[in-house]
Amino acid sequence: MVLHGCTQNAAVYDRGSGWSQLAEQGGFAVLYPEQQRANNSNLCFNWFKPDDTRRGSGEVLSIRQMIETMIAANGIDRQRIFITGLSAGGAMTTAMLATYPEVFAGGGIIAGLAYGTAKTVPEAFDRMRGHGAPSPRALQNLLADASPHQGPWPRISIWQGSADQTVSASNADAIVAQWRDVHGLDKAPTVSEKNGVRTRLAWCDKVGQTEIEMNTIAGMGHGAPIGGDGLGNAQPFMLDVGVSSTREMAQFWGIAKGVERQSAAAPTQGRPKDSGVTMTNRAATTSAERYHQSRAPKVQQVIEDALRAAGLMR
């Protein structure tokens, strides 16, 4: 699942990031929720609104329902669901990981923010600038209160530009602080390495598996790092720095190879009417309306049954 940033839509983010290209190569499904202007004038996911970031409510519930619909329609492995996003999409990624951690095997947060750190627009701007962040213990408490889940927890890949003037690099540290405790990790990283413009810190468990990684791109501003592998295209907020966060995250999660290919679009059945989020799949060009026209009633019944079984539809 891929969440676009402010002022973007699903198709724009897909062309820039190259996720559909990689899906064609690796044989996995891609799902793009898309914000509606009526819900947010700048097309941002509402990552800071309590009603949209509370388990069982608003946008996080809408996105959760989209995932369940996609799983039911395509027979996708529930143990291999991953989510990523940029900026407001990155902050909504942390909200999804916090409120529905049992759904995800991993998350990728690009220029995002820790979960639950803002509840109003002024607070959101303060946190984006790096002001007023809660203490590590308070961050961990926010995560603990977000769901009844007790583990296992999704693996986290964090990406941040050192010269980002929109979302301060200190927010990447806050995300690490929020998730480190549930994974039982030490404060100090296990691995520190530098390769060109990229500095990578990794926190590993007792058997050596990386549970959290933080990738900082020297001199990069606000956007998703791309380049060096033919995926995506440079455009506003898609920054060619010679490092593809798309491919690197897919390799971190182990999804680039060996997964049965999925292709059908998924509908928005069961989505709250006022969630303000629509859903597209793969290259973000197939609408839910065309899906409903082309799929047999039997498939829709399967989808509805799955949503009810998951407690996401009555």
Side-chain angles (χ1 to χ4, degrees):
M1 170 161 280
V2 183
L3 305 178
H4 62 79
C6 295
T7 75
Q8 297 177 318
N9 59 30
V12 165
Y13 193 75
D14 184 63
R15 286 194 297 270
S17 65
W19 273 108
S20 288
Q21 288 177 266
L22 188 58
E24 292 290 344
Q25 296 172 17
F28 56 84
V30 180
L31 176 64
Y32 280 90
E34 184 173 278
Q35 185 60 285
Q36 298 180 15
R37 199 171 295 279
N39 193 45
N40 187 291
S41 60
N42 291 316
L43 298 178
C44 307
F45 290 100
N46 290 307
W47 61 270
F48 56 88
K49 291 186 176 181
D51 287 346
D52 282 316
T53 57
R54 185 183 303 114
R55 184 180 173 103
S57 174
E59 288 185 10
V60 293
L61 175 60
S62 176
I63 294 169
R64 171 68 183 94
Q65 290 172 324
M66 294 178 188
I67 294 170
E68 191 63 31
T69 299
M70 189 72 164
I71 291 169
N74 297 283
I76 292 172
D77 185 352
R78 292 181 180 276
Q79 303 305 309
R80 295 173 65 79
I81 308 297
F82 304 89
I83 185 169
T84 182
L86 165 66
S87 192
M92 187 55 81
T93 294
T94 63
M96 291 302 301
L97 292 168
T99 54
Y100 293 101
E102 75 278 10
V103 173
F104 302 103
I109 303 155
I110 308 173
L113 297 95
Y115 170 72
T117 58
K119 294 181 175 60
T120 65
V121 171
E123 285 184 351
F125 280 113
D126 276 348
R127 303 302 176 266
M128 289 166 63
R129 298 184 185 106
H131 302 155
S135 68
R137 177 50 59 190
L139 288 167
Q140 292 160 13
N141 288 340
L142 286 167
L143 178 58
D145 292 341
S147 82
H149 188 64
Q150 298 297 312
W153 299 91
R155 301 171 66 214
I156 308 294
S157 179
I158 303 162
W159 293 78
Q160 178 70 48
S162 69
D164 192 331
Q165 299 300 307
T166 302
V167 175
S168 169
S170 64
N171 287 289
D173 296 319
I175 297 169
V176 173
Q178 186 164 62
W179 284 89
R180 192 182 65 242
D181 188 61
V182 293
H183 282 290
L185 303 172
D186 293 334
K187 182 176 181 180
T190 313
V191 176
S192 177
E193 53 192 6
K194 190 176 188 302
N195 184 7
V197 298
R198 175 188 180 189
T199 298
R200 177 178 179 269
L201 303 179
W203 287 259
C204 302
D205 63 17
K206 294 179 180 179
V207 298
Q209 175 172 274
T210 300
E211 299 293 346
I212 301 174
E213 66 168 13
M214 181 169 71
N215 302 275
T216 303
I217 307 301
M220 190 182 80
H222 188 63
I226 64 168
D229 65 349
L231 289 178
N233 295 282
Q235 58 188 41
F237 310 117
M238 294 291 171
L239 309 178
D240 190 346
V241 295
V243 180
S244 172
S245 56
T246 300
R247 189 176 297 278
E248 291 288 336
M249 280 190 286
Q251 291 177 345
F252 179 70
W253 298 328
I255 65 170
K257 295 180 180 180
V259 180
E260 183 178 353
R261 181 171 175 172
Q262 308 291 341
S263 60
T268 55
Q269 182 68 36
R271 179 169 53 84
K273 291 181 180 179
D274 297 325
S275 70
V277 182
T278 59
M279 176 171 63
T280 53
N281 156 271
R282 185 67 71 174
T285 57
T286 305
S287 70
E289 289 75 16
R290 286 201 297 274
Y291 179 90
H292 281 302
Q293 293 167 7
S294 65
R295 299 293 279 177
K298 181 179 178 181
V299 175
Q300 180 159 335
Q301 186 61 52
V302 171
I303 293 167
E304 292 178 357
D305 289 346
L307 288 168
R308 291 189 182 95
L312 300 171
M313 180 181 176
R314 294 181 180 179

